[in-house]
Amino acid sequence: MSDFGVDRSHPLVRWLAEQAVAADLFRATVDGAATREDATASLSMRALLAYARRDHRAPPSFAIEQAIRTDPATARRYRNLLAGMAIAFSPVALAAATDPVPSRVVGQWRLRVSQPEGLSPVLVLESLAPAPAPTAIEAIGPAGGPIRLPLPEPVRGSIQLPLDDRFAELAAFHRLIADPQTSIALLR
Amino acid sequence: LEGQVPWRIAARRSLGQEISAQEIAAQEWQANSMDQPVDEHTASDLCAIAEARQLTPAQCNMLARNVTGALRPNRDIYLWVLANVLSAVLLCGCRRRQKTFDPADCALEIALAPTPERRAALMRLCAGHEDVRVSREGIAVDLDSLQFEASFARIDDALAFADFFITGSDGALFASFKEAVLALTPVDGTAASPHEAVGILSRRIAQWRRERLPLGRQERLFSALVGFLLKRPAAQQRYGLLAFDDDDIVAFWRTCVEAGERLMFRTAVERFRDFGRLVKHLDALRSLTRPDDLDALAARMETEPDTDWNATTDDVAEVRLLEALKSLPDDPNALKGVERDLIATIAALMPFHKQRPGSVLRVLAFGPVQTGIANRLRRGGGGPAIDERVGCADAHSYDTVADRFYRLRDHLDSLRRIAVALRFGDKALVQGVDPDTLAETVQQGNAALKRLRRAGFDRSRAELAAIFSGIDGALSDFCTIICDFTAEIDRLGERRTLSDRFARDKPVFIETFTRAYLARQETRADV
């Protein structure tokens, strides 16, 4: 289409364009019966946000976690919210590192798993710089999750969490963070 | 396949996936149409916010403007309101509970709370602070580092925008909201300056707009429109460089079609309407002589801080009508679905129902033909073939369209009389009204009520009166715009009969539709 020599980025043109898009969106919002159905079919952002903000010791909701595992759109939303909520977030997990003892820096903390002979593996978080300590860690990825674990208080700048294989949740967490595609969030 | 981008199709082809002719037709429709539907995803985000916050249509309108940046002279004005309010709120929250204070939590509580609870929460949070006062009207802050006042109406709009940062676009903007909140967290008991937070939010939403909004397409259309008006022969500009009439709109639409764009005629009319509003608003129609003056217009728009560019009176009228239509009860069935649709159509084209009734008639008669073709292309089938449709055999004549509005006008008029009868039927005297006129109107209203055979009108008089007292204002507004439109149709008909006008217009539309939808297919067959 010829623009007859009128600049497309002219402020006047730009303003008209923004108004036109706003008007279209407004009309779609006011008589948006069709789009609303679509929105109620999956979990609302508010419900997901409330779930991401829940108390660390509150029991997980099976229905919500099922939705996060099965619906890619819900998973994407939950991850985005978690990334926003977290004091530190890493979209890739421990296994992405190449060290024999996998380790990863998430925000001001270095995460690694140490495996003492004959004992359960231990998740260790070391503080790299003075920072408020996280009180929970959450992992979510295509392999499973979300799994949220409360963390103990740091002792001399380091937090230790034994990943005891006898507890299904801890074992699942250990498996999850071994997958390079798992995201890890540190929460307060 | 709808809404799929061309590269995705190309990618599927390169992977050896088969793509049906139907898909290609739909794809071609998308690629050549300037009328792609709005981004469903964003629309559904806004719907969810409107529902959760119980926004009125006027508030939805402001939310859509905020999200798209359609605000002048300062498009970040509501981000400033938001940052100021959050800065003050975080300071109060921080003073209250020093140790356990979580700024993100506090900001989310305030931003996501339903309106009545939010006001109570703000009152509670800011109680006891001399320098942050919350009254029934709004918030007044007087700190060393932060001074502002904001009404609750503004705060509500700003927080609805914040809701979009939190819940919109699958949470992609949420991290920037959190970052802004951290930038607003008070340091050493002093409120943080909002500059940094506004910068963070403004940059992020600008990036989102570039990625997600079809601004480029609209810019293309408007620059073509303005350019078209400027490049007309001098004889057609005798009423002003940017003045236009019904035939200019058709001429512009045909230029677009000739250039290979399948522009909807309705869209062309709407865009001329938008442009007309802006020019009227700038009130510079007569003084314009040269294209350079466009820059002067734009400069005025960007620099005049006292002028509210954000809502014209027509715009507000449209929103108000839609609001009234939406809240009109289904029972009693005062207006049927088709009648509501007719009113909504006119509301969407305001103020052209008074200024350019000829163009409105053209949209109402030939618009559905083009919509039918577009839908068929989009679906890849269904209903009569395209070469049949471009003949406009199904187009409603202007007389048919006018008849519908005459009937609607008569119906609204009798509803208006019924409303008067229900309200004043038992009163002999109403101040400022001639008693004879009143008695006559009441009598007509009672007769109309007796004649009306629609669901819900068999209620007792008292019940009907109670319902009508809530909707008679809206009915009167509907009646006014439909009467305005029919009066304009009458005036058009006096100058030249509607059937004559229709007979003249039809070949033009047939030719242009043929060019847009058939000529293209032939050239493709040649290739």
Side-chain angles (χ1 to χ4, degrees):
Chain A
M1 175 185 290
S2 164
D3 56 10
F4 303 94
V6 170
D7 184 4
R8 283 173 191 176
S9 59
H10 193 285
L12 192 85
V13 168
R14 171 92 201 192
W15 190 69
L16 283 163
E18 285 171 355
Q19 282 220 314
V21 177
D24 286 350
L25 272 177
F26 163 67
R27 261 179 235 133
T29 308
V30 168
D31 54 34
T35 46
R36 206 167 303 166
E37 261 171 53
D38 169 58
T40 46
S42 55
L43 274 168
S44 80
M45 284 292 280
R46 277 181 154 66
L48 281 175
L49 183 62
Y51 192 66
R53 292 174 67 200
R54 75 189 188 276
D55 187 78
H56 298 333
R57 284 165 211 284
S61 150
F62 180 73
I64 292 181
E65 298 201 345
Q66 178 72 14
I68 293 170
R69 273 194 294 274
T70 50
D71 178 18
T74 307
R76 188 171 60 241
R77 294 171 170 188
Y78 184 73
R79 264 190 209 225
N80 280 337
L81 290 176
L82 200 63
M85 288 304 306
I87 53 171
F89 186 81
S90 161
V92 275
L94 294 179
T98 48
D99 294 335
V101 180
S103 83
R104 180 115 218 125
V105 174
V106 182
Q108 305 292 354
W109 299 81
R110 181 193 297 279
L111 265 71
R112 64 189 172 83
V113 177
S114 73
Q115 285 191 293
E117 283 284 318
L119 291 169
S120 313
V122 180
L123 176 71
V124 184
L125 283 86
E126 286 165 337
S127 167
L128 300 174
T135 57
I137 186 167
E138 181 155 344
I140 173 174
I147 298 179
R148 180 179 292 190
L149 300 176
L151 291 171
E153 289 277 312
V155 179
R156 273 178 282 129
S158 137
I159 301 172
Q160 299 203 354
L161 183 72
L163 297 174
D164 195 332
D165 284 341
R166 284 170 302 174
F167 295 97
E169 199 180 26
L170 295 176
F173 187 83
H174 192 192
R175 270 199 307 280
L176 199 55
I177 58 176
D179 178 357
Q181 290 188 50
T182 298
S183 312
I184 290 184
L186 299 181
L187 302 162
R188 278 202 75 185
Chain B
L1 195 86
E2 229 168 271
Q4 276 207 14
V5 275
W7 61 261
R8 206 169 287 168
I9 295 262
R12 281 177 52 193
R13 270 215 186 99
S14 67
L15 287 171
Q17 290 184 13
E18 222 166 277
I19 295 159
S20 70
Q22 197 169 318
E23 281 180 305
I24 293 171
Q27 178 56 33
E28 166 138 337
W29 158 253
Q30 294 276 329
N32 287 302
S33 167
M34 305 252 295
D35 294 286
Q36 288 170 31
V38 289
D39 178 10
E40 290 273 312
H41 205 101
T42 307
S44 100
D45 283 346
L46 296 191
C47 266
I49 293 174
E51 201 154 318
R53 302 182 82 87
Q54 298 282 306
L55 298 184
T56 64
Q59 287 173 319
C60 289
N61 194 23
M62 190 45 84
L63 176 62
R65 279 169 188 275
N66 264 323
V67 166
T68 52
L71 288 165
R72 291 294 183 281
N74 180 0
R75 81 177 74 198
D76 290 336
I77 184 79
Y78 282 92
L79 291 179
W80 283 95
V81 175
L82 175 67
N84 278 325
V85 170
L86 286 182
S87 181
V89 161
L90 292 177
L91 179 69
C92 292
C94 187
R95 280 178 185 168
R96 200 158 279 257
R97 317 164 275 185
Q98 299 242 321
K99 281 271 159 61
T100 58
F101 180 66
D102 182 349
D105 241 20
C106 178
L108 283 174
E109 293 294 346
I110 294 295
L112 295 179
T115 305
E117 285 170 36
R118 180 170 62 244
R119 294 201 184 167
L122 280 174
M123 294 254 188
R124 230 180 307 119
L125 206 59
C126 302
H129 298 285
E130 290 255 311
D131 37 15
V132 182
R133 289 191 318 276
V134 179
S135 68
R136 208 173 317 155
E137 286 80 37
I139 294 184
V141 178
D142 185 19
L143 297 159
D144 288 341
S145 52
L146 190 70
Q147 280 145 352
F148 77 94
E149 284 180 19
S151 68
F152 272 125
R154 284 216 141 192
I155 295 174
D156 288 347
D157 283 335
L159 290 175
F161 191 19
D163 203 325
F164 184 74
F165 274 92
I166 299 166
T167 62
S169 199
D170 281 347
L173 304 167
F174 182 58
S176 69
F177 179 77
K178 171 88 179 295
E179 200 188 331
V181 168
L182 290 182
L184 287 170
T185 307
V187 186
D188 302 330
T190 8
S193 150
H195 280 90
E196 196 190 335
V198 171
I200 293 169
L201 295 174
S202 170
R203 276 193 301 275
R204 184 68 185 92
I205 192 82
Q207 184 197 359
W208 177 85
R209 284 177 195 135
R210 277 194 301 278
E211 286 166 5
R212 296 295 294 275
L213 293 179
L215 283 170
R217 205 164 61 225
Q218 300 287 357
E219 282 169 2
R220 221 146 54 95
L221 185 47
F222 279 113
S223 67
L225 189 156
V226 176
F228 169 81
L229 291 176
L230 293 175
K231 291 284 148 67
R232 285 175 301 175
Q236 288 170 26
Q237 292 177 346
R238 59 183 180 279
Y239 297 111
L241 196 64
L242 297 179
F244 55 86
D245 61 16
D246 291 323
D247 292 339
D248 284 321
I249 301 177
V250 175
F252 171 70
W253 176 59
R254 296 182 71 176
T255 331
C256 291
V257 167
E258 259 153 51
E261 300 278 358
R262 286 169 173 172
L263 181 65
M264 299 296 271
F265 180 67
R266 164 185 273 280
T267 309
V269 173
E270 283 180 352
R271 294 305 168 246
F272 268 92
R273 187 270 317 268
D274 297 341
F275 180 72
R277 268 183 189 170
L278 175 68
V279 171
K280 187 180 134 212
H281 206 75
L282 294 165
D283 196 27
L285 194 60
R286 284 179 192 285
S287 57
L288 273 177
T289 51
R290 290 174 305 138
D292 307 347
D293 290 351
L294 282 186
D295 296 328
L297 272 184
R300 281 185 57 191
M301 200 172 67
E302 303 266 319
T303 53
E304 285 183 19
D306 302 334
T307 331
D308 187 8
W309 298 113
N310 303 326
T312 63
T313 43
D314 301 322
D315 206 10
V316 173
E318 184 195 332
V319 172
R320 220 187 47 222
L321 279 171
L322 286 178
E323 198 163 338
L325 263 183
K326 215 183 148 197
S327 55
L328 199 71
D330 291 330
D331 185 32
N333 191 12
L335 287 176
K336 296 177 190 166
V338 274
E339 291 167 340
R340 286 170 192 248
D341 289 348
L342 284 180
I343 296 171
T345 316
I346 296 299
L349 292 169
M350 275 166 81
F352 269 15
H353 70 294
K354 268 161 98 174
Q355 294 170 359
R356 303 252 69 92
S359 288
V360 176
L361 275 181
R362 283 172 177 162
V363 169
L364 292 168
F366 297 105
V369 176
Q370 198 178 11
T371 313
I373 297 174
N375 284 341
R376 192 193 145 92
L377 278 172
R378 207 173 300 181
R379 285 193 308 263
I386 288 169
D387 49 359
E388 211 172 300
R389 287 175 189 261
V390 294
C392 294
D394 291 345
H396 300 297
S397 75
Y398 296 160
D399 284 307
T400 317
V401 174
D403 267 351
R404 275 191 201 153
F405 281 94
Y406 288 139
R407 258 180 283 136
L408 177 60
R409 178 196 60 191
D410 295 344
H411 176 61
L412 283 167
D413 194 49
S414 65
L415 283 177
R416 188 149 70 166
R417 282 168 211 278
I418 290 172
V420 172
L422 289 171
R423 193 178 272 263
F424 301 115
D426 49 355
K427 295 190 184 72
L429 274 178
V430 175
Q431 209 179 358
V433 182
D434 172 39
D436 291 341
T437 320
L438 180 67
E440 198 189 328
T441 314
V442 167
Q443 205 183 353
Q444 287 168 342
N446 286 332
L449 183 56
K450 210 173 277 175
R451 270 200 313 274
L452 196 61
R453 297 269 172 274
R454 288 201 183 188
F457 278 90
D458 48 0
R459 284 189 170 78
S460 77
R461 206 180 158 88
E463 274 179 285
L464 277 179
I467 296 169
F468 265 74
S469 72
I471 61 171
D472 54 5
L475 290 175
S476 172
D477 284 350
F478 300 153
C479 196
T480 307
I481 71 155
I482 298 302
C483 283
D484 285 346
F485 182 49
T486 50
E488 290 302 329
I489 295 178
D490 289 342
R491 221 160 290 159
L492 272 184
E494 276 164 27
R495 269 177 284 161
R496 185 188 294 154
T497 62
L498 293 182
S499 49
D500 189 19
R501 283 172 189 273
F502 184 69
R504 277 168 184 251
D505 285 352
K506 196 171 169 181
V508 174
F509 278 88
I510 292 176
E511 193 212 314
T512 317
F513 286 153
T514 309
R515 229 193 142 84
Y517 298 104
L518 289 183
R520 175 174 300 279
Q521 286 188 348
E522 279 157 24
T523 48
R524 204 175 57 194
D526 293 344
V527 174

